[in-house]
Amino acid sequence: MASATQLLPLKPIKSKQQAYKIVILSAVFCSTVVLGNVSLKFIPVSFNQAIGATTPFFTAILAYLMQGQTEAALTYYSLIPIMGGVIIASGGEPMFSVIGFTCCLIATSLRALKSVLQSLLMTDASEKLDPMSLLVYMSGVSVSILVPLTVVLEPASWHAAVALVEKSNGFAYWLLGNSALAYFVNLTNFLVTKYTSALTLQVLGNAKGVVAAAVSVAVFKNVVTGQGALGYAITVGGVFMYSESKRRAKAAAAALARTSSDAGQPAGKATGGGNTEREPLLSGEKATPDLYFRGADRV
């Protein structure tokens, strides 16, 4: 609606390569959702969350391989308590399934890939898309992938949905409300990725679990074990550690920029062209030309 009224004009796709990347992003998104749901048939939610907590690890690796983005050492160290805390809170899980574990692990790595891909599509100067436009294109492609698969693989689901709507008028409103919330979740997901980084998005995703647990305790009076409380406390500490590492890196980059400006040299060359930790692609610097998925002329 915002695009149709020109309140937020839809940016056109600039090249076949850009369209190809959007299709890949949509396919990765659909695969993540499907594999995550399949894993829940074989493993409990707690084990699923424990595996999902490793997403920042995969994101850091893919951000380096595909964007050339490196972080300060303290940033990488902070990932240990961020991931470890959620794993501890989830607890040991005796109900292990090879199929469920494999599906969940692939879904976790694909979730990290999605974060990096959407970061590239929104920050690469040669093909930059705003979050709203990227979400419109990704949604359209995702629907075109999921609807035919649903018709073929789960034909009874459509009749079940219609039956639920006929049985309870409120179900349709709940369904629309859930869809609207999903839309805003994805939009804020893209906004966070654009203005921070793919890694920061996944770190916040782990922190979200702590907030969700706290809200659940406050609203539903759920019982939290000592192990769960310890794990969440470790995760919160890791998030604060991550935030502090980014603050220090930003301060160091600002100091370097001031020094370079005083010396009449471009930022980054005052120390012999050393690496400065920064959020990806927001400084306008050109990345290494061999990076995967980089630029309109690369696939």
Side-chain angles (χ1 to χ4, degrees):
M1 184 180 294
S3 299
T5 58
Q6 296 301 305
L7 181 63
L8 292 171
L10 185 66
K11 286 192 174 181
I13 296 177
K14 298 179 180 178
S15 63
K16 290 183 178 179
Q17 288 84 357
Q18 188 181 38
Y20 173 69
K21 295 173 190 178
I22 293 173
V23 171
I24 291 180
L25 175 64
S26 304
V28 168
F29 169 72
C30 294
S31 300
T32 299
V33 174
V34 171
L35 288 172
N37 290 340
V38 170
S39 71
L40 291 174
K41 291 184 63 177
F42 299 95
I43 59 176
V45 174
S46 59
F47 193 25
N48 180 283
Q49 291 299 307
I51 298 171
T54 61
T55 306
F57 169 75
F58 291 104
T59 305
I61 294 175
L62 291 172
Y64 173 74
L65 292 175
M66 299 177 67
Q67 294 179 288
Q69 178 194 351
T70 56
E71 305 282 353
L74 182 61
T75 301
Y76 289 122
Y77 293 148
S78 69
L79 298 181
I80 298 174
I82 289 172
M83 296 185 298
V86 178
I87 294 173
I88 291 173
S90 299
E93 185 51 61
M95 297 177 61
F96 181 83
S97 165
V98 174
I99 297 176
F101 174 78
T102 302
C103 289
C104 189
L105 190 63
I106 295 174
T108 298
S109 59
L110 288 178
R111 192 178 301 118
L113 177 59
K114 172 182 174 290
S115 298
V116 177
L117 287 177
Q118 66 193 34
S119 176
L120 285 171
L121 284 165
M122 289 187 293
T123 56
D124 190 348
S126 65
E127 52 189 20
K128 188 183 295 185
L129 283 170
D130 61 84
M132 183 72 77
S133 296
L134 180 57
L135 183 56
V136 169
Y137 291 129
M138 191 192 82
S139 300
V141 177
S142 298
V143 168
S144 66
I145 293 174
L146 291 175
V147 169
L149 287 176
T150 303
V151 172
V152 174
L153 300 177
E154 297 183 11
S157 61
W158 296 96
H159 300 291
V162 171
L164 285 171
V165 172
E166 292 176 347
K167 184 178 179 180
S168 171
N169 292 330
F171 178 78
Y173 293 109
W174 282 110
L175 190 61
L176 289 173
N178 183 63
S179 301
L181 286 175
Y183 168 80
F184 285 111
V185 166
N186 280 286
L187 182 59
T188 53
N189 182 303
F190 285 177
L191 287 168
V192 170
T193 303
K194 178 178 180 179
Y195 291 109
T196 56
S197 69
L199 183 58
T200 298
L201 173 70
Q202 296 305 330
V203 168
L204 292 175
N206 276 17
K208 177 192 67 178
V210 180
V211 176
V215 172
S216 179
V217 170
V219 175
F220 301 108
K221 310 300 181 184
N222 292 347
V223 177
V224 177
T225 64
Q227 180 178 344
L230 174 63
Y232 289 134
I234 292 173
T235 296
V236 170
V239 171
F240 278 110
M241 183 178 174
Y242 180 88
S243 178
E244 177 63 15
S245 72
K246 303 298 283 187
R247 186 194 65 79
R248 291 184 181 183
K250 187 175 181 179
L256 177 62
R258 286 195 299 269
T259 302
S260 300
S261 179
D262 293 341
Q265 294 178 324
K269 295 185 178 180
T271 56
N275 254 345
T276 341
E277 199 279 340
R278 60 176 174 83
E279 299 290 4
L281 313 177
L282 296 182
S283 68
E285 296 175 7
K286 282 289 183 182
T288 307
D290 293 329
L291 298 180
Y292 306 124
F293 269 86
R294 166 66 63 198
D297 59 337
R298 290 187 175 274
V299 178

